[in-house]
mmCIF file of all heavy atoms in Angstrom:
data_model
loop_
_atom_site.group_PDB
_atom_site.id
_atom_site.type_symbol
_atom_site.label_atom_id
_atom_site.label_comp_id
_atom_site.label_asym_id
_atom_site.label_seq_id
_atom_site.Cartn_x
_atom_site.Cartn_y
_atom_site.Cartn_z
ATOM 1 N N LYS A 224 7.184 17.683 12.401
ATOM 2 C CA LYS A 224 6.392 17.565 11.165
ATOM 3 C C LYS A 224 5.213 16.795 11.462
ATOM 4 O O LYS A 224 4.129 16.968 10.719
ATOM 5 C CB LYS A 224 7.239 16.976 10.090
ATOM 6 C CG LYS A 224 8.428 17.830 9.621
ATOM 7 C CD LYS A 224 9.312 17.041 8.659
ATOM 8 C CE LYS A 224 10.540 17.854 8.196
ATOM 9 N NZ LYS A 224 11.424 17.099 7.344
ATOM 10 N N VAL A 225 5.175 15.860 12.448
ATOM 11 C CA VAL A 225 4.069 14.936 12.789
ATOM 12 C C VAL A 225 3.239 15.484 13.896
ATOM 13 O O VAL A 225 2.037 15.320 13.891
ATOM 14 C CB VAL A 225 4.684 13.570 13.046
ATOM 15 C CG1 VAL A 225 3.542 12.606 13.454
ATOM 16 C CG2 VAL A 225 5.352 12.979 11.799
ATOM 17 N N PHE A 226 3.850 16.133 14.889
ATOM 18 C CA PHE A 226 3.140 16.450 16.067
ATOM 19 C C PHE A 226 2.937 17.972 16.325
ATOM 20 O O PHE A 226 3.131 18.585 17.332
ATOM 21 C CB PHE A 226 3.882 15.912 17.337
ATOM 22 C CG PHE A 226 3.871 14.441 17.437
ATOM 23 C CD1 PHE A 226 5.011 13.733 17.122
ATOM 24 C CD2 PHE A 226 2.739 13.761 17.898
ATOM 25 C CE1 PHE A 226 5.009 12.317 17.232
ATOM 26 C CE2 PHE A 226 2.797 12.416 18.039
ATOM 27 C CZ PHE A 226 3.864 11.653 17.663
ATOM 28 N N GLY A 227 2.519 18.703 15.231
ATOM 29 C CA GLY A 227 2.356 20.126 15.275
ATOM 30 C C GLY A 227 1.247 20.479 16.253
ATOM 31 O O GLY A 227 0.134 19.974 16.224
ATOM 32 N N ASN A 228 1.602 21.417 17.233
ATOM 33 C CA ASN A 228 0.614 21.924 18.202
ATOM 34 C C ASN A 228 -0.159 20.827 18.919
ATOM 35 O O ASN A 228 -1.313 20.923 19.166
ATOM 36 C CB ASN A 228 -0.376 22.859 17.523
ATOM 37 C CG ASN A 228 0.305 24.055 16.834
ATOM 38 O OD1 ASN A 228 1.112 24.783 17.460
ATOM 39 N ND2 ASN A 228 0.121 24.181 15.504
ATOM 40 N N TYR A 229 0.550 19.745 19.225
ATOM 41 C CA TYR A 229 -0.100 18.529 19.734
ATOM 42 C C TYR A 229 -0.018 18.353 21.251
ATOM 43 O O TYR A 229 -1.016 17.889 21.849
ATOM 44 C CB TYR A 229 0.533 17.320 19.038
ATOM 45 C CG TYR A 229 -0.050 16.015 19.357
ATOM 46 C CD1 TYR A 229 -1.243 15.523 18.804
ATOM 47 C CD2 TYR A 229 0.585 15.181 20.339
ATOM 48 C CE1 TYR A 229 -1.774 14.311 19.084
ATOM 49 C CE2 TYR A 229 0.060 13.984 20.664
ATOM 50 C CZ TYR A 229 -1.083 13.457 20.051
ATOM 51 O OH TYR A 229 -1.679 12.210 20.314
ATOM 52 N N PHE A 230 1.081 18.595 21.899
ATOM 53 C CA PHE A 230 1.320 18.222 23.269
ATOM 54 C C PHE A 230 0.928 19.194 24.335
ATOM 55 O O PHE A 230 1.174 20.407 24.182
ATOM 56 C CB PHE A 230 2.812 17.856 23.442
ATOM 57 C CG PHE A 230 3.301 16.689 22.662
ATOM 58 C CD1 PHE A 230 4.060 16.882 21.562
ATOM 59 C CD2 PHE A 230 2.921 15.418 23.035
ATOM 60 C CE1 PHE A 230 4.518 15.759 20.723
ATOM 61 C CE2 PHE A 230 3.393 14.320 22.254
ATOM 62 C CZ PHE A 230 4.185 14.542 21.120
ATOM 63 N N ASP A 231 0.213 18.713 25.355
ATOM 64 C CA ASP A 231 -0.246 19.553 26.502
ATOM 65 C C ASP A 231 1.002 19.892 27.346
ATOM 66 O O ASP A 231 1.073 20.853 28.048
ATOM 67 C CB ASP A 231 -1.174 18.773 27.305
ATOM 68 C CG ASP A 231 -2.427 18.292 26.571
ATOM 69 O OD1 ASP A 231 -3.020 19.121 25.836
ATOM 70 O OD2 ASP A 231 -2.771 17.138 26.656
ATOM 71 N N LEU A 232 2.029 18.989 27.392
ATOM 72 C CA LEU A 232 3.223 19.092 28.156
ATOM 73 C C LEU A 232 4.416 18.629 27.415
ATOM 74 O O LEU A 232 4.386 17.482 26.885
ATOM 75 C CB LEU A 232 3.063 18.453 29.507
ATOM 76 C CG LEU A 232 4.337 18.323 30.371
ATOM 77 C CD1 LEU A 232 4.700 19.667 30.906
ATOM 78 C CD2 LEU A 232 4.097 17.358 31.596
ATOM 79 N N ILE A 233 5.476 19.440 27.401
ATOM 80 C CA ILE A 233 6.737 19.004 26.828
ATOM 81 C C ILE A 233 7.815 19.137 27.833
ATOM 82 O O ILE A 233 7.937 20.238 28.481
ATOM 83 C CB ILE A 233 7.126 19.810 25.536
ATOM 84 C CG1 ILE A 233 6.129 19.596 24.446
ATOM 85 C CG2 ILE A 233 8.476 19.426 25.046
ATOM 86 C CD1 ILE A 233 6.396 20.456 23.228
ATOM 87 N N VAL A 234 8.552 18.058 28.069
ATOM 88 C CA VAL A 234 9.742 18.113 28.958
ATOM 89 C C VAL A 234 10.984 17.941 28.123
ATOM 90 O O VAL A 234 11.157 16.988 27.387
ATOM 91 C CB VAL A 234 9.676 17.003 30.069
ATOM 92 C CG1 VAL A 234 10.904 16.930 30.836
ATOM 93 C CG2 VAL A 234 8.460 17.173 30.931
ATOM 94 N N LEU A 235 11.889 18.945 28.301
ATOM 95 C CA LEU A 235 13.183 18.816 27.515
ATOM 96 C C LEU A 235 14.253 18.914 28.599
ATOM 97 O O LEU A 235 14.546 19.981 29.209
ATOM 98 C CB LEU A 235 13.321 19.969 26.508
ATOM 99 C CG LEU A 235 14.747 20.065 25.912
ATOM 100 C CD1 LEU A 235 15.065 18.781 25.154
ATOM 101 C CD2 LEU A 235 14.833 21.291 25.016
ATOM 102 N N ASP A 236 14.803 17.723 28.924
ATOM 103 C CA ASP A 236 16.048 17.737 29.756
ATOM 104 C C ASP A 236 17.168 17.712 28.712
ATOM 105 O O ASP A 236 17.649 16.749 28.188
ATOM 106 C CB ASP A 236 16.067 16.426 30.595
ATOM 107 C CG ASP A 236 17.211 16.473 31.560
ATOM 108 O OD1 ASP A 236 17.500 17.520 32.181
ATOM 109 O OD2 ASP A 236 17.854 15.362 31.809
ATOM 110 N N ALA A 237 17.648 18.943 28.493
ATOM 111 C CA ALA A 237 18.413 19.215 27.284
ATOM 112 C C ALA A 237 19.893 18.703 27.362
ATOM 113 O O ALA A 237 20.481 18.653 28.421
ATOM 114 C CB ALA A 237 18.518 20.703 26.981
ATOM 115 N N PRO A 238 20.440 18.267 26.182
ATOM 116 C CA PRO A 238 21.936 17.976 26.168
ATOM 117 C C PRO A 238 22.658 19.261 26.615
ATOM 118 O O PRO A 238 22.314 20.320 26.244
ATOM 119 C CB PRO A 238 22.179 17.679 24.632
ATOM 120 C CG PRO A 238 20.817 17.431 24.103
ATOM 121 C CD PRO A 238 19.824 18.178 24.930
ATOM 122 N N CYS A 239 23.596 19.000 27.498
ATOM 123 C CA CYS A 239 24.281 20.234 28.123
ATOM 124 C C CYS A 239 25.754 19.887 28.439
ATOM 125 O O CYS A 239 26.240 18.807 28.168
ATOM 126 C CB CYS A 239 23.533 20.688 29.357
ATOM 127 S SG CYS A 239 23.653 19.462 30.748
ATOM 128 N N SER A 240 26.437 20.871 29.081
ATOM 129 C CA SER A 240 27.815 20.746 29.358
ATOM 130 C C SER A 240 28.066 19.798 30.552
ATOM 131 O O SER A 240 29.142 19.404 30.829
ATOM 132 C CB SER A 240 28.446 22.114 29.727
ATOM 133 O OG SER A 240 27.701 22.739 30.761
ATOM 134 N N GLY A 241 26.973 19.430 31.308
ATOM 135 C CA GLY A 241 27.110 18.342 32.248
ATOM 136 C C GLY A 241 27.861 18.597 33.530
ATOM 137 O O GLY A 241 28.365 17.740 34.284
ATOM 138 N N GLU A 242 27.953 19.952 33.919
ATOM 139 C CA GLU A 242 28.747 20.265 35.080
ATOM 140 C C GLU A 242 28.164 19.622 36.292
ATOM 141 O O GLU A 242 28.945 19.296 37.217
ATOM 142 C CB GLU A 242 28.729 21.833 35.243
ATOM 143 C CG GLU A 242 29.450 22.551 34.119
ATOM 144 C CD GLU A 242 29.217 24.075 34.154
ATOM 145 O OE1 GLU A 242 28.401 24.525 35.038
ATOM 146 O OE2 GLU A 242 29.796 24.712 33.341
ATOM 147 N N GLY A 243 26.886 19.550 36.430
ATOM 148 C CA GLY A 243 26.218 18.936 37.572
ATOM 149 C C GLY A 243 26.463 17.512 37.756
ATOM 150 O O GLY A 243 26.092 16.918 38.774
ATOM 151 N N MET A 244 27.097 16.760 36.772
ATOM 152 C CA MET A 244 27.374 15.355 36.849
ATOM 153 C C MET A 244 28.802 15.005 37.126
ATOM 154 O O MET A 244 29.228 13.876 37.049
ATOM 155 C CB MET A 244 26.889 14.692 35.543
ATOM 156 C CG MET A 244 25.372 14.618 35.272
ATOM 157 S SD MET A 244 24.540 13.508 36.546
ATOM 158 C CE MET A 244 23.772 14.751 37.649
ATOM 159 N N PHE A 245 29.642 16.078 37.357
ATOM 160 C CA PHE A 245 31.038 15.804 37.630
ATOM 161 C C PHE A 245 31.370 14.816 38.661
ATOM 162 O O PHE A 245 32.229 14.031 38.593
ATOM 163 C CB PHE A 245 31.776 17.162 37.883
ATOM 164 C CG PHE A 245 32.021 18.104 36.718
ATOM 165 C CD1 PHE A 245 31.582 17.728 35.408
ATOM 166 C CD2 PHE A 245 32.586 19.324 36.823
ATOM 167 C CE1 PHE A 245 31.790 18.582 34.302
ATOM 168 C CE2 PHE A 245 32.814 20.113 35.728
ATOM 169 C CZ PHE A 245 32.457 19.773 34.495
ATOM 170 N N ARG A 246 30.598 14.914 39.764
ATOM 171 C CA ARG A 246 30.823 13.926 40.889
ATOM 172 C C ARG A 246 30.511 12.484 40.461
ATOM 173 O O ARG A 246 31.272 11.589 40.799
ATOM 174 C CB ARG A 246 30.000 14.300 42.072
ATOM 175 C CG ARG A 246 30.480 15.543 42.831
ATOM 176 C CD ARG A 246 29.967 15.637 44.233
ATOM 177 N NE ARG A 246 28.527 15.401 44.373
ATOM 178 C CZ ARG A 246 27.872 15.661 45.471
ATOM 179 N NH1 ARG A 246 28.509 16.147 46.526
ATOM 180 N NH2 ARG A 246 26.574 15.505 45.588
ATOM 181 N N LYS A 247 29.446 12.317 39.800
ATOM 182 C CA LYS A 247 28.972 10.984 39.408
ATOM 183 C C LYS A 247 29.810 10.426 38.169
ATOM 184 O O LYS A 247 30.006 9.246 38.032
ATOM 185 C CB LYS A 247 27.488 10.958 39.040
ATOM 186 C CG LYS A 247 26.556 11.044 40.266
ATOM 187 C CD LYS A 247 25.120 10.874 39.850
ATOM 188 C CE LYS A 247 24.831 9.387 39.544
ATOM 189 N NZ LYS A 247 23.437 9.094 39.262
ATOM 190 N N ASP A 248 30.225 11.324 37.312
ATOM 191 C CA ASP A 248 30.933 10.999 36.126
ATOM 192 C C ASP A 248 32.089 11.897 35.914
ATOM 193 O O ASP A 248 32.042 12.840 35.125
ATOM 194 C CB ASP A 248 29.906 11.000 34.867
ATOM 195 C CG ASP A 248 30.606 10.514 33.626
ATOM 196 O OD1 ASP A 248 31.660 9.889 33.684
ATOM 197 O OD2 ASP A 248 30.081 10.813 32.530
ATOM 198 N N PRO A 249 33.192 11.652 36.636
ATOM 199 C CA PRO A 249 34.413 12.507 36.490
ATOM 200 C C PRO A 249 34.934 12.644 35.126
ATOM 201 O O PRO A 249 35.522 13.646 34.740
ATOM 202 C CB PRO A 249 35.356 11.877 37.395
ATOM 203 C CG PRO A 249 34.558 11.045 38.429
ATOM 204 C CD PRO A 249 33.390 10.633 37.663
ATOM 205 N N ALA A 250 34.640 11.585 34.202
ATOM 206 C CA ALA A 250 35.050 11.677 32.847
ATOM 207 C C ALA A 250 34.492 12.866 32.101
ATOM 208 O O ALA A 250 35.027 13.424 31.150
ATOM 209 C CB ALA A 250 34.692 10.392 32.113
ATOM 210 N N ALA A 251 33.320 13.403 32.581
ATOM 211 C CA ALA A 251 32.689 14.545 31.938
ATOM 212 C C ALA A 251 33.525 15.843 32.040
ATOM 213 O O ALA A 251 33.409 16.721 31.236
ATOM 214 C CB ALA A 251 31.248 14.822 32.577
ATOM 215 N N ILE A 252 34.424 15.834 33.021
ATOM 216 C CA ILE A 252 35.287 16.946 33.212
ATOM 217 C C ILE A 252 36.187 17.221 31.935
ATOM 218 O O ILE A 252 36.525 18.262 31.567
ATOM 219 C CB ILE A 252 36.161 16.806 34.476
ATOM 220 C CG1 ILE A 252 35.198 16.745 35.732
ATOM 221 C CG2 ILE A 252 37.203 17.979 34.586
ATOM 222 C CD1 ILE A 252 35.954 16.448 36.939
ATOM 223 N N GLN A 253 36.553 16.033 31.322
ATOM 224 C CA GLN A 253 37.499 16.050 30.205
ATOM 225 C C GLN A 253 36.828 16.774 28.987
ATOM 226 O O GLN A 253 37.552 17.289 28.189
ATOM 227 C CB GLN A 253 37.886 14.664 29.824
ATOM 228 C CG GLN A 253 38.535 13.805 30.952
ATOM 229 C CD GLN A 253 39.657 14.489 31.617
ATOM 230 O OE1 GLN A 253 40.556 14.979 30.976
ATOM 231 N NE2 GLN A 253 39.675 14.509 33.027
ATOM 232 N N TYR A 254 35.459 16.720 28.895
ATOM 233 C CA TYR A 254 34.858 17.371 27.782
ATOM 234 C C TYR A 254 34.623 18.896 27.936
ATOM 235 O O TYR A 254 34.383 19.570 26.990
ATOM 236 C CB TYR A 254 33.432 16.640 27.568
ATOM 237 C CG TYR A 254 33.545 15.204 27.140
ATOM 238 C CD1 TYR A 254 33.266 14.294 28.143
ATOM 239 C CD2 TYR A 254 33.804 14.788 25.928
ATOM 240 C CE1 TYR A 254 33.307 12.958 27.831
ATOM 241 C CE2 TYR A 254 33.895 13.452 25.557
ATOM 242 C CZ TYR A 254 33.604 12.546 26.489
ATOM 243 O OH TYR A 254 33.656 11.192 26.142
ATOM 244 N N TRP A 255 34.738 19.308 29.215
ATOM 245 C CA TRP A 255 34.472 20.715 29.536
ATOM 246 C C TRP A 255 35.577 21.599 29.116
ATOM 247 O O TRP A 255 36.742 21.332 29.346
ATOM 248 C CB TRP A 255 34.208 20.780 30.983
ATOM 249 C CG TRP A 255 33.575 22.169 31.421
ATOM 250 C CD1 TRP A 255 32.251 22.470 31.576
ATOM 251 C CD2 TRP A 255 34.299 23.408 31.680
ATOM 252 N NE1 TRP A 255 32.052 23.732 31.941
ATOM 253 C CE2 TRP A 255 33.299 24.343 31.998
ATOM 254 C CE3 TRP A 255 35.606 23.766 31.700
ATOM 255 C CZ2 TRP A 255 33.615 25.686 32.301
ATOM 256 C CZ3 TRP A 255 35.978 25.083 32.007
ATOM 257 C CH2 TRP A 255 34.888 26.028 32.299
ATOM 258 N N HIS A 256 35.214 22.697 28.444
ATOM 259 C CA HIS A 256 36.125 23.868 28.262
ATOM 260 C C HIS A 256 35.327 25.139 28.305
ATOM 261 O O HIS A 256 34.136 25.056 28.350
ATOM 262 C CB HIS A 256 36.881 23.677 26.851
ATOM 263 C CG HIS A 256 35.955 23.533 25.716
ATOM 264 N ND1 HIS A 256 35.428 24.582 25.010
ATOM 265 C CD2 HIS A 256 35.388 22.374 25.104
ATOM 266 C CE1 HIS A 256 34.615 24.119 24.050
ATOM 267 N NE2 HIS A 256 34.625 22.856 24.078
ATOM 268 N N GLU A 257 36.128 26.184 28.448
ATOM 269 C CA GLU A 257 35.453 27.499 28.694
ATOM 270 C C GLU A 257 34.326 27.858 27.732
ATOM 271 O O GLU A 257 33.238 28.410 28.117
ATOM 272 C CB GLU A 257 36.545 28.593 28.670
ATOM 273 C CG GLU A 257 36.005 29.922 29.249
ATOM 274 C CD GLU A 257 37.107 30.949 29.342
ATOM 275 O OE1 GLU A 257 38.289 30.696 28.817
ATOM 276 O OE2 GLU A 257 36.859 32.041 29.921
ATOM 277 N N ALA A 258 34.465 27.517 26.494
ATOM 278 C CA ALA A 258 33.445 27.828 25.467
ATOM 279 C C ALA A 258 32.312 26.832 25.317
ATOM 280 O O ALA A 258 31.381 27.044 24.602
ATOM 281 C CB ALA A 258 34.115 28.095 24.090
ATOM 282 N N TYR A 259 32.474 25.681 26.046
ATOM 283 C CA TYR A 259 31.564 24.532 25.923
ATOM 284 C C TYR A 259 30.044 24.920 26.226
ATOM 285 O O TYR A 259 29.176 24.631 25.533
ATOM 286 C CB TYR A 259 32.000 23.400 26.756
ATOM 287 C CG TYR A 259 31.373 22.089 26.407
ATOM 288 C CD1 TYR A 259 30.793 21.783 25.153
ATOM 289 C CD2 TYR A 259 31.180 21.103 27.480
ATOM 290 C CE1 TYR A 259 30.195 20.537 24.866
ATOM 291 C CE2 TYR A 259 30.583 19.876 27.144
ATOM 292 C CZ TYR A 259 30.046 19.679 25.900
ATOM 293 O OH TYR A 259 29.472 18.413 25.620
ATOM 294 N N PRO A 260 29.780 25.659 27.312
ATOM 295 C CA PRO A 260 28.490 26.086 27.665
ATOM 296 C C PRO A 260 27.762 26.862 26.557
ATOM 297 O O PRO A 260 26.572 26.689 26.290
ATOM 298 C CB PRO A 260 28.567 26.890 28.937
ATOM 299 C CG PRO A 260 29.785 26.305 29.608
ATOM 300 C CD PRO A 260 30.778 26.068 28.483
ATOM 301 N N VAL A 261 28.496 27.838 25.889
ATOM 302 C CA VAL A 261 27.979 28.583 24.813
ATOM 303 C C VAL A 261 27.633 27.788 23.657
ATOM 304 O O VAL A 261 26.618 27.895 22.974
ATOM 305 C CB VAL A 261 28.938 29.745 24.464
ATOM 306 C CG1 VAL A 261 28.448 30.481 23.206
ATOM 307 C CG2 VAL A 261 29.124 30.734 25.594
ATOM 308 N N GLU A 262 28.516 26.792 23.340
ATOM 309 C CA GLU A 262 28.261 25.793 22.198
ATOM 310 C C GLU A 262 26.969 24.981 22.546
ATOM 311 O O GLU A 262 26.157 24.840 21.677
ATOM 312 C CB GLU A 262 29.486 24.960 22.030
ATOM 313 C CG GLU A 262 30.698 25.637 21.548
ATOM 314 C CD GLU A 262 31.936 24.661 21.592
ATOM 315 O OE1 GLU A 262 31.781 23.500 21.965
ATOM 316 O OE2 GLU A 262 33.060 25.190 21.391
ATOM 317 N N CYS A 263 26.812 24.530 23.719
ATOM 318 C CA CYS A 263 25.656 23.775 24.117
ATOM 319 C C CYS A 263 24.401 24.660 24.020
ATOM 320 O O CYS A 263 23.315 24.162 23.570
ATOM 321 C CB CYS A 263 25.779 23.224 25.581
ATOM 322 S SG CYS A 263 27.009 21.934 25.680
ATOM 323 N N ALA A 264 24.513 25.863 24.426
ATOM 324 C CA ALA A 264 23.345 26.763 24.393
ATOM 325 C C ALA A 264 22.701 26.959 22.996
ATOM 326 O O ALA A 264 21.536 27.074 22.803
ATOM 327 C CB ALA A 264 23.680 28.181 24.954
#
């Protein structure tokens, strides 16, 4: 509402299922289920 057509560059490191962080954060495995990626999408 404030920044309409304003930014030259937008970076979105989006909230996601976090599969790539399983090694660093094994607790993330507990949140994962088969439908989780679709929900995140």
